[in-house]
Amino acid sequence: MNKIIFYFLIAFYSTTFYSQNNLEVLLKKVDSLEKSGNYKEVQLVFERLKKENKNKNQLYYSAKFLFAKGMSLANNGNYDAAKENFSKAIQVAKKIKPSHNSKQLLSRIYLELSYCYFDWEVALKQNTIGYNYTLKNLPKDTLLIDYLSDRGFIHKQLRNYEQSILASEKALKLIAKLQPKKYDLLGDVHNNLGIAYSDLHLHNQSLYHYAKGLEYNIKSNQKDKSDIVNSANNTIWESLDYGDEKKAKEILNFLNKNFYKWYNNKDFATTDVSANLQSWGLYFKSIYHLSNLRNEIYDKNYFEAKKHFDTIVSIFEKYPSERKKKDNTLLLSRYEYEEIFKSKPLTDELNIKQHIDFNKRTIQIARRDESKHEELVACLKLAIAFNRYKKYDDALKTIDEAKKIDETFFNASRFTIGVLEATVLNSLNKNEESRRVILKSYQKLLEKQKKIKSLQHLKYADFKKFNSSTFIRNTINSATIYFKIYQKDKNKGDLLIANNLFFIASDIFAEFYQKGKYNYHLNAFNKEIASGLLETQMLIDPNDKVKIKAILNRIENNSSQHLWNLFELKNSQNLKIPASLIRKLNELVFEKNSLQEQLEKSKSSVELKNQLATLNKEIDKTQKAINQKDASFQKFKSSDFDVDNVQKQLSSNQIVVKYLVMDKKTFAFTISDKSIQLVNLGDTELLKSTVLQFTKSINSIDNNYTKISQNLYGKLIEPILKEKQVATIIFVPEDFLNAISFESLMNKNGKFIVQNYIVSYAYSLKIWDFLQQKQTANKDTHQFVSFAPNYNKTPNSNQNRGLRRGNLFDLAEAKIEAQTINNMFNGRLFLNEKATKTNFLQSTTQFDFHHLAMHSMLEDDYSNSSLVFTNNQKVYFDELYQLNFPSKMVVLSACSTGLGTQESGEGIMSLSRALAYSGVKSSVYSLWQVPDKETSEIMISFYQNLKKGQPKDEALANAKTTFISNNPMKKHPFYWAGFVVNGDVSPIVSNSNWIIYIGIGLVILALIFFFRKKLFQFRQ
């Protein structure tokens, strides 16, 4: 407050004698001064009041005077003098006759006194005294929240992370009860929880709380935006550690857009700032550049990264010497910047020297820091660099230095140092020492009372549930060390330990993975773990049914659950929600996408932005209406997979083959109703090369394809077909194997798979299992709809002869195909100009079966791949992905609808996969640019077979074999093998009519037999 106003108040009070009303006005003004932190002025007022007021309030004014003096001293960094005044204030306040105001005052003094102690044990003791007093005397006061929040912070400083979490969680519950809209406080507590969980290495929890902290800090709309910067930095860091680059970039873009606007505001970094924290605003500027540095390093934009690094260095140089001891931002930036040296070849001698010198300099800076932990991390970074360049002796010397650092608690860095030491010793062939070091490192993870002699029977449940990327990496590295030792010594005990450690790594990963969309890091971890489990188990015992099942279950449950979650959710929703409501949501989503496209092209975007905002509100409103009818719509769902359930669904002549493509080797699980077999299919790169040759021979209609086809059959099929009674195969391919039409592989007798087996496909074992369950569909639907658009380009006679559904020529055969199939099922036909995007959108919830005879466009950016309707109207991958599409079957009678971009851990992002994301139960799609005329012939035959009541897989197999028989000159797979069926393969026409006819026929035959017998007896 302006000093002129303050002195006016004093004068006002003096000239108005002791009027009670005027005293109350003054106290309210003083209360306002106190809230704004002007404790010097408050101190002057209460000093005069206590001198001139000899009445019953004198003790209260004296306590307030001492409290204000203590606050003024604390704000100037004079904590010892502040403690003395707070202690005196407590003694005076205890003498005041108890009232709500006096109790609140005493509670506040206790709280502020606890803030003055940097001996954290003493601070905790003071906090407890104040908390207990407040709980007893003011059980509903908001000061309890401050006590709990600060207790969480104190426990964190004492490295009592569990107690820190308990205190902070209590604070959250109390905020929800007493101050639910105190968003700044919610942001602060969530951020503290994020730090505590991060320090405990429970990173799935820390990421959640950092994100919530950021959300609430933004929502609080405080003038001082420094808390947003802090929360954003933490969330970016944790997101990048998890591998969620998209989320990190979204937050960073928000930060980059606003930071300097906030930073240049006079209120920035002024909240709760004491004199000992000089240049506080510079700290936030520093962590802002640290967030950018991390992102640029992640993206390998090293030139931009150096700019941010240099800025952080220049900021650090401006700090006073005492501040430099407390601020670790420069060290954090050096840990990140070090990655630049790793980007260069291992043979670059200059880079090796610069890298090692850089890390040595980091150690020097760390030794000036108050935290011993930073010195430990700096030593670890140098030791890793020495190991990288095979300077093993130097690495061990640095590790020894790190082990001598006096840090009282065991943490991720200590664990990493132990595993690194074992790695170095293994490289020096000191296997026994390597084993001993690893055992000792894991022993430190266990509770003190638990002792282990071997890692063979160690379980994840035996030690604290660490789930950070650091612990996953170290556990994988430990397993790899034991596997390498086994490869040298052939001691089976080492192999068993390696296998067990890979199992533990999979347990940690299961905790770490948040069951959403995969990213590069998650996929790399999962592949490494799966590969380790498979390789070690193949050597231990490939016929151990219990272990094989356990490995398969872990691989399926730890693989990306993104497709499964959306598929299960939308199928659940489609069963419970009126089609009209789903259709409305689909229409709104399409309208939103259209508006966003316009926004990208438009210069005057204000009106469009307003329309988009209105549309988003309408989408939210519709989703809420859906939520009321089915709570599972926005709820996370992912039940655990168990391969036993798959086996129960299989008949005796069916098998499921799940392929697993690892970096070095490819494996296959063959699942029948009674057994599970694990097979090593050999070197991944060789197999990939063969597949590429095969797909090339298909697309080029090369008549020498048979040799490659038989080669692939020998690698992919022969090892898995050991049961002679197999008639049906369900393939679950991944990676480059998605490009193969397995029906086109040929055995050594010259027979295609399709001529011996009925084949279908599935995106995952979990989805296949789900689709075997009987479900009741919406009854508010019609049966069949087909689309055959009109295209402007007309092919000439030469073009028409070999026309493929891959360029935008008009497709005459496709129209005949659509009309013929539509007539079979008495369906609805959208032909030529009527085959529009709008009509397709409306059909998504009106029909059970969809046939799309048209062109598709395959783009490098899969989100831009599309189905092309009349007038070049496109339905993009992202639009299909967002739809709720409750169709029982969609046939994509178009080119390459099963191909797309391989995304880490998610599979081929194709148009057919987009249909699975939208909830479609079964799809028929193509794996290459299919020919127009031959496609029509196969499609019509396929539907004729479906009309007879054949299951979809059998109907398509019979259509293909019929085509081969009828067209011996077109036996090449290019003509007939392009289309495959994925998902639910049950018949679309019930066989019940045929059963009735057969029953009637049998009755008639029985009657004829009966009467003939009677007639014969009569004639005798």
Side-chain angles (χ1 to χ4, degrees), residues 974-1009:
F974 167 78
Y975 295 104
W976 57 266
F979 282 94
V980 297
V981 59
N982 189 308
D984 172 35
V985 296
S986 60
I988 70 170
V989 174
S990 172
N991 275 316
S992 57
N993 291 338
W994 293 93
I995 293 168
I996 292 168
Y997 297 150
I998 291 168
I1000 292 169
L1002 289 171
V1003 170
I1004 293 169
L1005 286 172
L1007 288 171
I1008 292 170
F1009 177 76

mmCIF file of all heavy atoms in Angstrom, residues 974-1009:
data_model
loop_
_atom_site.group_PDB
_atom_site.id
_atom_site.type_symbol
_atom_site.label_atom_id
_atom_site.label_comp_id
_atom_site.label_asym_id
_atom_site.label_seq_id
_atom_site.Cartn_x
_atom_site.Cartn_y
_atom_site.Cartn_z
ATOM 1 N N PHE A 974 -1.002 -61.785 -57.479
ATOM 2 C CA PHE A 974 -1.380 -60.392 -57.680
ATOM 3 C C PHE A 974 -2.870 -60.265 -57.972
ATOM 4 O O PHE A 974 -3.533 -59.337 -57.504
ATOM 5 C CB PHE A 974 -0.583 -59.788 -58.837
ATOM 6 C CG PHE A 974 -1.123 -58.459 -59.311
ATOM 7 C CD1 PHE A 974 -0.861 -57.291 -58.600
ATOM 8 C CD2 PHE A 974 -1.904 -58.378 -60.455
ATOM 9 C CE1 PHE A 974 -1.372 -56.080 -59.034
ATOM 10 C CE2 PHE A 974 -2.410 -57.166 -60.889
ATOM 11 C CZ PHE A 974 -2.145 -56.010 -60.183
ATOM 12 N N TYR A 975 -3.423 -61.191 -58.721
ATOM 13 C CA TYR A 975 -4.799 -61.089 -59.194
ATOM 14 C C TYR A 975 -5.837 -61.454 -58.135
ATOM 15 O O TYR A 975 -6.951 -60.946 -58.155
ATOM 16 C CB TYR A 975 -4.999 -61.979 -60.435
ATOM 17 C CG TYR A 975 -4.189 -61.530 -61.628
ATOM 18 C CD1 TYR A 975 -3.035 -62.207 -61.996
ATOM 19 C CD2 TYR A 975 -4.572 -60.418 -62.378
ATOM 20 C CE1 TYR A 975 -2.271 -61.785 -63.082
ATOM 21 C CE2 TYR A 975 -3.817 -59.997 -63.470
ATOM 22 C CZ TYR A 975 -2.671 -60.683 -63.813
ATOM 23 O OH TYR A 975 -1.924 -60.265 -64.886
ATOM 24 N N TRP A 976 -5.486 -62.363 -57.224
ATOM 25 C CA TRP A 976 -6.512 -62.907 -56.329
ATOM 26 C C TRP A 976 -6.190 -62.826 -54.821
ATOM 27 O O TRP A 976 -7.096 -62.951 -53.987
ATOM 28 C CB TRP A 976 -6.769 -64.383 -56.667
ATOM 29 C CG TRP A 976 -5.525 -65.253 -56.596
ATOM 30 C CD1 TRP A 976 -4.699 -65.568 -57.627
ATOM 31 C CD2 TRP A 976 -4.976 -65.863 -55.427
ATOM 32 N NE1 TRP A 976 -3.652 -66.350 -57.187
ATOM 33 C CE2 TRP A 976 -3.808 -66.557 -55.836
ATOM 34 C CE3 TRP A 976 -5.343 -65.926 -54.087
ATOM 35 C CZ2 TRP A 976 -3.018 -67.274 -54.949
ATOM 36 C CZ3 TRP A 976 -4.560 -66.653 -53.200
ATOM 37 C CH2 TRP A 976 -3.412 -67.317 -53.641
ATOM 38 N N ALA A 977 -4.925 -62.621 -54.464
ATOM 39 C CA ALA A 977 -4.536 -62.759 -53.046
ATOM 40 C C ALA A 977 -4.531 -61.444 -52.269
ATOM 41 O O ALA A 977 -4.273 -61.429 -51.059
ATOM 42 C CB ALA A 977 -3.154 -63.399 -52.950
ATOM 43 N N GLY A 978 -4.837 -60.325 -52.944
ATOM 44 C CA GLY A 978 -4.672 -59.022 -52.308
ATOM 45 C C GLY A 978 -5.602 -58.759 -51.137
ATOM 46 O O GLY A 978 -5.254 -58.037 -50.208
ATOM 47 N N PHE A 979 -6.796 -59.353 -51.190
ATOM 48 C CA PHE A 979 -7.772 -59.080 -50.139
ATOM 49 C C PHE A 979 -7.686 -60.115 -49.023
ATOM 50 O O PHE A 979 -7.562 -61.318 -49.272
ATOM 51 C CB PHE A 979 -9.190 -59.048 -50.714
ATOM 52 C CG PHE A 979 -9.488 -57.763 -51.430
ATOM 53 C CD1 PHE A 979 -9.308 -57.673 -52.797
ATOM 54 C CD2 PHE A 979 -9.917 -56.641 -50.732
ATOM 55 C CE1 PHE A 979 -9.560 -56.483 -53.465
ATOM 56 C CE2 PHE A 979 -10.164 -55.450 -51.397
ATOM 57 C CZ PHE A 979 -9.991 -55.366 -52.763
ATOM 58 N N VAL A 980 -7.763 -59.612 -47.785
ATOM 59 C CA VAL A 980 -7.744 -60.490 -46.603
ATOM 60 C C VAL A 980 -8.859 -60.050 -45.657
ATOM 61 O O VAL A 980 -9.332 -58.913 -45.727
ATOM 62 C CB VAL A 980 -6.382 -60.444 -45.878
ATOM 63 C CG1 VAL A 980 -5.274 -60.953 -46.768
ATOM 64 C CG2 VAL A 980 -6.061 -59.038 -45.380
ATOM 65 N N VAL A 981 -9.268 -60.949 -44.778
ATOM 66 C CA VAL A 981 -10.318 -60.638 -43.812
ATOM 67 C C VAL A 981 -9.722 -60.613 -42.406
ATOM 68 O O VAL A 981 -8.956 -61.499 -42.038
ATOM 69 C CB VAL A 981 -11.507 -61.626 -43.906
ATOM 70 C CG1 VAL A 981 -11.080 -63.061 -43.663
ATOM 71 C CG2 VAL A 981 -12.623 -61.225 -42.933
ATOM 72 N N ASN A 982 -10.083 -59.571 -41.649
ATOM 73 C CA ASN A 982 -9.530 -59.372 -40.304
ATOM 74 C C ASN A 982 -10.674 -59.198 -39.313
ATOM 75 O O ASN A 982 -11.616 -58.456 -39.560
ATOM 76 C CB ASN A 982 -8.643 -58.119 -40.298
ATOM 77 C CG ASN A 982 -7.856 -57.957 -39.012
ATOM 78 O OD1 ASN A 982 -8.393 -57.995 -37.914
ATOM 79 N ND2 ASN A 982 -6.553 -57.754 -39.160
ATOM 80 N N GLY A 983 -10.559 -59.877 -38.163
ATOM 81 C CA GLY A 983 -11.541 -59.689 -37.095
ATOM 82 C C GLY A 983 -12.553 -60.807 -37.019
ATOM 83 O O GLY A 983 -12.234 -61.987 -37.214
ATOM 84 N N ASP A 984 -13.796 -60.443 -36.754
ATOM 85 C CA ASP A 984 -14.883 -61.410 -36.594
ATOM 86 C C ASP A 984 -15.187 -62.080 -37.940
ATOM 87 O O ASP A 984 -15.469 -61.403 -38.922
ATOM 88 C CB ASP A 984 -16.116 -60.678 -36.063
ATOM 89 C CG ASP A 984 -17.348 -61.562 -36.049
ATOM 90 O OD1 ASP A 984 -17.201 -62.774 -35.796
ATOM 91 O OD2 ASP A 984 -18.453 -61.034 -36.293
ATOM 92 N N VAL A 985 -15.127 -63.400 -37.973
ATOM 93 C CA VAL A 985 -15.345 -64.108 -39.247
ATOM 94 C C VAL A 985 -16.669 -64.874 -39.259
ATOM 95 O O VAL A 985 -16.918 -65.679 -40.160
ATOM 96 C CB VAL A 985 -14.181 -65.083 -39.557
ATOM 97 C CG1 VAL A 985 -12.885 -64.329 -39.763
ATOM 98 C CG2 VAL A 985 -14.037 -66.143 -38.469
ATOM 99 N N SER A 986 -17.548 -64.632 -38.300
ATOM 100 C CA SER A 986 -18.818 -65.358 -38.247
ATOM 101 C C SER A 986 -19.661 -65.048 -39.478
ATOM 102 O O SER A 986 -19.503 -64.004 -40.111
ATOM 103 C CB SER A 986 -19.584 -64.979 -36.976
ATOM 104 O OG SER A 986 -19.858 -63.593 -36.964
ATOM 105 N N PRO A 987 -20.574 -65.941 -39.845
ATOM 106 C CA PRO A 987 -21.416 -65.722 -41.033
ATOM 107 C C PRO A 987 -22.280 -64.476 -40.886
ATOM 108 O O PRO A 987 -22.644 -64.088 -39.780
ATOM 109 C CB PRO A 987 -22.291 -66.986 -41.081
ATOM 110 C CG PRO A 987 -21.585 -67.999 -40.246
ATOM 111 C CD PRO A 987 -20.867 -67.234 -39.189
ATOM 112 N N ILE A 988 -22.627 -63.862 -42.016
ATOM 113 C CA ILE A 988 -23.519 -62.700 -41.947
ATOM 114 C C ILE A 988 -24.961 -63.113 -42.242
ATOM 115 O O ILE A 988 -25.883 -62.326 -42.057
ATOM 116 C CB ILE A 988 -23.076 -61.582 -42.913
ATOM 117 C CG1 ILE A 988 -23.298 -61.964 -44.373
ATOM 118 C CG2 ILE A 988 -21.640 -61.193 -42.677
ATOM 119 C CD1 ILE A 988 -23.109 -60.796 -45.335
ATOM 120 N N VAL A 989 -25.130 -64.328 -42.730
ATOM 121 C CA VAL A 989 -26.458 -64.880 -42.990
ATOM 122 C C VAL A 989 -26.610 -66.133 -42.147
ATOM 123 O O VAL A 989 -25.737 -67.001 -42.151
ATOM 124 C CB VAL A 989 -26.655 -65.220 -44.483
ATOM 125 C CG1 VAL A 989 -27.985 -65.926 -44.709
ATOM 126 C CG2 VAL A 989 -26.578 -63.955 -45.322
ATOM 127 N N SER A 990 -27.726 -66.236 -41.426
ATOM 128 C CA SER A 990 -27.936 -67.375 -40.544
ATOM 129 C C SER A 990 -28.160 -68.647 -41.348
ATOM 130 O O SER A 990 -28.784 -68.643 -42.416
ATOM 131 C CB SER A 990 -29.159 -67.116 -39.656
ATOM 132 O OG SER A 990 -29.484 -68.268 -38.929
ATOM 133 N N ASN A 991 -27.655 -69.745 -40.818
ATOM 134 C CA ASN A 991 -27.846 -71.053 -41.440
ATOM 135 C C ASN A 991 -29.148 -71.716 -41.008
ATOM 136 O O ASN A 991 -29.443 -72.834 -41.389
ATOM 137 C CB ASN A 991 -26.696 -71.998 -41.070
ATOM 138 C CG ASN A 991 -25.508 -71.806 -41.998
ATOM 139 O OD1 ASN A 991 -25.682 -71.697 -43.199
ATOM 140 N ND2 ASN A 991 -24.309 -71.750 -41.418
ATOM 141 N N SER A 992 -29.934 -70.999 -40.187
ATOM 142 C CA SER A 992 -31.133 -71.624 -39.609
ATOM 143 C C SER A 992 -32.115 -72.086 -40.677
ATOM 144 O O SER A 992 -32.760 -73.123 -40.540
ATOM 145 C CB SER A 992 -31.820 -70.644 -38.659
ATOM 146 O OG SER A 992 -32.143 -69.442 -39.335
ATOM 147 N N ASN A 993 -32.272 -71.330 -41.805
ATOM 148 C CA ASN A 993 -33.198 -71.723 -42.873
ATOM 149 C C ASN A 993 -32.787 -73.046 -43.491
ATOM 150 O O ASN A 993 -33.625 -73.894 -43.798
ATOM 151 C CB ASN A 993 -33.259 -70.648 -43.956
ATOM 152 C CG ASN A 993 -33.930 -69.388 -43.437
ATOM 153 O OD1 ASN A 993 -34.683 -69.449 -42.477
ATOM 154 N ND2 ASN A 993 -33.652 -68.254 -44.075
ATOM 155 N N TRP A 994 -31.469 -73.195 -43.699
ATOM 156 C CA TRP A 994 -30.984 -74.452 -44.283
ATOM 157 C C TRP A 994 -31.264 -75.618 -43.342
ATOM 158 O O TRP A 994 -31.627 -76.706 -43.775
ATOM 159 C CB TRP A 994 -29.472 -74.352 -44.545
ATOM 160 C CG TRP A 994 -29.138 -73.359 -45.612
ATOM 161 C CD1 TRP A 994 -28.822 -72.059 -45.449
ATOM 162 C CD2 TRP A 994 -29.150 -73.590 -47.033
ATOM 163 N NE1 TRP A 994 -28.610 -71.450 -46.657
ATOM 164 C CE2 TRP A 994 -28.797 -72.382 -47.669
ATOM 165 C CE3 TRP A 994 -29.403 -74.715 -47.833
ATOM 166 C CZ2 TRP A 994 -28.709 -72.259 -49.043
ATOM 167 C CZ3 TRP A 994 -29.310 -74.592 -49.219
ATOM 168 C CH2 TRP A 994 -28.973 -73.368 -49.802
ATOM 169 N N ILE A 995 -31.137 -75.386 -42.059
ATOM 170 C CA ILE A 995 -31.400 -76.450 -41.081
ATOM 171 C C ILE A 995 -32.870 -76.851 -41.129
ATOM 172 O O ILE A 995 -33.223 -78.036 -41.071
ATOM 173 C CB ILE A 995 -31.011 -75.982 -39.660
ATOM 174 C CG1 ILE A 995 -29.495 -75.799 -39.584
ATOM 175 C CG2 ILE A 995 -31.472 -76.960 -38.595
ATOM 176 C CD1 ILE A 995 -29.023 -75.075 -38.347
ATOM 177 N N ILE A 996 -33.741 -75.817 -41.253
ATOM 178 C CA ILE A 996 -35.193 -76.112 -41.342
ATOM 179 C C ILE A 996 -35.494 -76.958 -42.571
ATOM 180 O O ILE A 996 -36.219 -77.950 -42.515
ATOM 181 C CB ILE A 996 -36.004 -74.797 -41.369
ATOM 182 C CG1 ILE A 996 -35.881 -74.099 -40.001
ATOM 183 C CG2 ILE A 996 -37.468 -75.047 -41.715
ATOM 184 C CD1 ILE A 996 -36.391 -72.669 -39.988
ATOM 185 N N TYR A 997 -34.905 -76.539 -43.741
ATOM 186 C CA TYR A 997 -35.150 -77.288 -44.987
ATOM 187 C C TYR A 997 -34.675 -78.733 -44.863
ATOM 188 O O TYR A 997 -35.338 -79.669 -45.294
ATOM 189 C CB TYR A 997 -34.444 -76.604 -46.158
ATOM 190 C CG TYR A 997 -34.965 -75.211 -46.449
ATOM 191 C CD1 TYR A 997 -34.115 -74.235 -46.993
ATOM 192 C CD2 TYR A 997 -36.302 -74.865 -46.201
ATOM 193 C CE1 TYR A 997 -34.577 -72.956 -47.254
ATOM 194 C CE2 TYR A 997 -36.755 -73.580 -46.461
ATOM 195 C CZ TYR A 997 -35.903 -72.637 -46.981
ATOM 196 O OH TYR A 997 -36.352 -71.381 -47.239
ATOM 197 N N ILE A 998 -33.490 -78.886 -44.292
ATOM 198 C CA ILE A 998 -32.957 -80.242 -44.132
ATOM 199 C C ILE A 998 -33.873 -81.054 -43.220
ATOM 200 O O ILE A 998 -34.170 -82.231 -43.473
ATOM 201 C CB ILE A 998 -31.516 -80.192 -43.572
ATOM 202 C CG1 ILE A 998 -30.582 -79.616 -44.640
ATOM 203 C CG2 ILE A 998 -31.034 -81.576 -43.151
ATOM 204 C CD1 ILE A 998 -29.206 -79.258 -44.112
ATOM 205 N N GLY A 999 -34.358 -80.403 -42.131
ATOM 206 C CA GLY A 999 -35.254 -81.083 -41.185
ATOM 207 C C GLY A 999 -36.531 -81.543 -41.866
ATOM 208 O O GLY A 999 -36.990 -82.676 -41.667
ATOM 209 N N ILE A 1000 -37.114 -80.630 -42.681
ATOM 210 C CA ILE A 1000 -38.346 -80.981 -43.399
ATOM 211 C C ILE A 1000 -38.097 -82.148 -44.346
ATOM 212 O O ILE A 1000 -38.888 -83.093 -44.455
ATOM 213 C CB ILE A 1000 -38.890 -79.763 -44.171
ATOM 214 C CG1 ILE A 1000 -39.380 -78.694 -43.168
ATOM 215 C CG2 ILE A 1000 -40.012 -80.148 -45.124
ATOM 216 C CD1 ILE A 1000 -39.689 -77.347 -43.797
ATOM 217 N N GLY A 1001 -36.946 -82.083 -45.038
ATOM 218 C CA GLY A 1001 -36.592 -83.157 -45.974
ATOM 219 C C GLY A 1001 -36.476 -84.503 -45.273
ATOM 220 O O GLY A 1001 -36.960 -85.533 -45.780
ATOM 221 N N LEU A 1002 -35.863 -84.513 -44.103
ATOM 222 C CA LEU A 1002 -35.712 -85.761 -43.353
ATOM 223 C C LEU A 1002 -37.054 -86.322 -42.906
ATOM 224 O O LEU A 1002 -37.285 -87.548 -42.921
ATOM 225 C CB LEU A 1002 -34.808 -85.525 -42.126
ATOM 226 C CG LEU A 1002 -33.323 -85.290 -42.429
ATOM 227 C CD1 LEU A 1002 -32.580 -84.847 -41.166
ATOM 228 C CD2 LEU A 1002 -32.675 -86.561 -42.995
ATOM 229 N N VAL A 1003 -37.952 -85.393 -42.485
ATOM 230 C CA VAL A 1003 -39.308 -85.834 -42.078
ATOM 231 C C VAL A 1003 -40.026 -86.486 -43.259
ATOM 232 O O VAL A 1003 -40.661 -87.544 -43.124
ATOM 233 C CB VAL A 1003 -40.116 -84.646 -41.521
ATOM 234 C CG1 VAL A 1003 -41.583 -85.025 -41.328
ATOM 235 C CG2 VAL A 1003 -39.514 -84.176 -40.198
ATOM 236 N N ILE A 1004 -39.940 -85.847 -44.444
ATOM 237 C CA ILE A 1004 -40.601 -86.388 -45.657
ATOM 238 C C ILE A 1004 -40.053 -87.767 -46.001
ATOM 239 O O ILE A 1004 -40.807 -88.704 -46.296
ATOM 240 C CB ILE A 1004 -40.446 -85.418 -46.838
ATOM 241 C CG1 ILE A 1004 -41.247 -84.121 -46.556
ATOM 242 C CG2 ILE A 1004 -40.890 -86.056 -48.152
ATOM 243 C CD1 ILE A 1004 -40.953 -82.991 -47.522
ATOM 244 N N LEU A 1005 -38.718 -87.897 -45.945
ATOM 245 C CA LEU A 1005 -38.098 -89.194 -46.234
ATOM 246 C C LEU A 1005 -38.560 -90.257 -45.248
ATOM 247 O O LEU A 1005 -38.826 -91.422 -45.625
ATOM 248 C CB LEU A 1005 -36.571 -89.063 -46.188
ATOM 249 C CG LEU A 1005 -35.912 -88.352 -47.370
ATOM 250 C CD1 LEU A 1005 -34.434 -88.120 -47.089
ATOM 251 C CD2 LEU A 1005 -36.062 -89.204 -48.650
ATOM 252 N N ALA A 1006 -38.680 -89.857 -43.975
ATOM 253 C CA ALA A 1006 -39.126 -90.810 -42.957
ATOM 254 C C ALA A 1006 -40.551 -91.267 -43.226
ATOM 255 O O ALA A 1006 -40.887 -92.459 -43.091
ATOM 256 C CB ALA A 1006 -39.019 -90.164 -41.571
ATOM 257 N N LEU A 1007 -41.428 -90.301 -43.618
ATOM 258 C CA LEU A 1007 -42.821 -90.643 -43.917
ATOM 259 C C LEU A 1007 -42.926 -91.580 -45.122
ATOM 260 O O LEU A 1007 -43.700 -92.549 -45.111
ATOM 261 C CB LEU A 1007 -43.619 -89.356 -44.184
ATOM 262 C CG LEU A 1007 -43.906 -88.484 -42.940
ATOM 263 C CD1 LEU A 1007 -44.504 -87.146 -43.361
ATOM 264 C CD2 LEU A 1007 -44.873 -89.218 -41.997
ATOM 265 N N ILE A 1008 -42.138 -91.288 -46.177
ATOM 266 C CA ILE A 1008 -42.141 -92.143 -47.374
ATOM 267 C C ILE A 1008 -41.728 -93.555 -47.009
ATOM 268 O O ILE A 1008 -42.351 -94.546 -47.424
ATOM 269 C CB ILE A 1008 -41.200 -91.563 -48.456
ATOM 270 C CG1 ILE A 1008 -41.781 -90.245 -49.000
ATOM 271 C CG2 ILE A 1008 -40.970 -92.562 -49.579
ATOM 272 C CD1 ILE A 1008 -40.815 -89.478 -49.882
ATOM 273 N N PHE A 1009 -40.654 -93.628 -46.178
ATOM 274 C CA PHE A 1009 -40.151 -94.936 -45.770
ATOM 275 C C PHE A 1009 -41.233 -95.690 -44.988
ATOM 276 O O PHE A 1009 -41.467 -96.885 -45.196
ATOM 277 C CB PHE A 1009 -38.898 -94.772 -44.916
ATOM 278 C CG PHE A 1009 -38.346 -96.068 -44.378
ATOM 279 C CD1 PHE A 1009 -37.637 -96.933 -45.203
ATOM 280 C CD2 PHE A 1009 -38.584 -96.431 -43.054
ATOM 281 C CE1 PHE A 1009 -37.149 -98.121 -44.709
ATOM 282 C CE2 PHE A 1009 -38.096 -97.624 -42.560
ATOM 283 C CZ PHE A 1009 -37.371 -98.471 -43.381
#
